[in-house]
Amino acid sequence: MNDYSAEVVDHFQHPRNAGPVEDANGTGEIGNPDRGDYIKVFIRIDNEILAKIGYQVKGSAAAVACASAMTELVVGRHVDDVMMLTDEDIVEALNGLPESDVECPNLSARGLKTALQNYFERNVRSRT
């Protein structure tokens, strides 16, 4: 853990918002749960605000830390702002990551965007 910032270590040791959201109205999965890094993101959007978020992640310490940091960056924000989250935002929140972990923030950001897409597909279908 010597290569990681204090923020990465803290998020790995004390992950925020981990676990499923029971009343989720959007979910997204990236990766393969049987091998390699994997994330499933659960979101609850109410009145266009991301009210709740949770995740299940399998991977390195950096993958866990990125998922945890991602949730803190988006909970309570309008969906328009949530859609703008980048890998760089997650890396910045963690005060950097080693070069070997460059895919970890991408995993979290893509998982979130897949959950948002699922939410919008469900929401549009329910209105038609």
Side-chain angles (χ1 to χ4, degrees):
M1 296 289 269
N2 291 340
D3 292 340
Y4 294 118
S5 69
E7 291 81 4
V8 172
V9 173
D10 184 49
H11 276 278
F12 172 67
Q13 292 177 339
H14 310 285
R16 282 66 147 183
N17 303 302
V21 172
E22 295 301 322
D23 58 348
N25 53 12
T27 60
E29 288 182 272
I30 299 293
N32 183 336
D34 296 325
R35 47 174 206 172
D37 287 343
Y38 165 82
I39 190 168
K40 183 170 185 177
V41 177
F42 305 84
I43 57 174
R44 175 73 197 179
I45 295 175
D46 294 319
N47 299 316
E48 297 188 8
I49 301 295
L50 198 153
K52 295 181 193 174
I53 186 167
Y55 61 91
Q56 295 172 323
V57 65
K58 180 181 173 213
S60 66
V64 173
C66 287
S68 175
M70 175 268 297
T71 68
E72 288 195 322
L73 290 169
V74 297
V75 73
R77 295 180 65 189
H78 191 276
V79 291
D80 291 344
D81 295 330
V82 173
M83 287 188 294
M84 301 303 291
L85 182 77
T86 66
D87 304 359
E88 293 80 19
D89 295 330
I90 297 169
V91 172
E92 186 177 312
L94 292 171
N95 201 22
L97 283 171
E99 223 21 67
S100 60
D101 292 312
V102 295
E103 284 300 313
C104 295
N106 182 270
L107 182 75
S108 293
R110 286 177 43 221
L112 174 63
K113 289 186 172 130
T114 302
L116 284 167
Q117 180 179 359
N118 178 257
Y119 165 78
F120 287 123
E121 288 171 356
R122 288 180 180 185
N123 193 41
V124 169
R125 282 190 194 135
S126 68
R127 289 184 183 176
T128 58

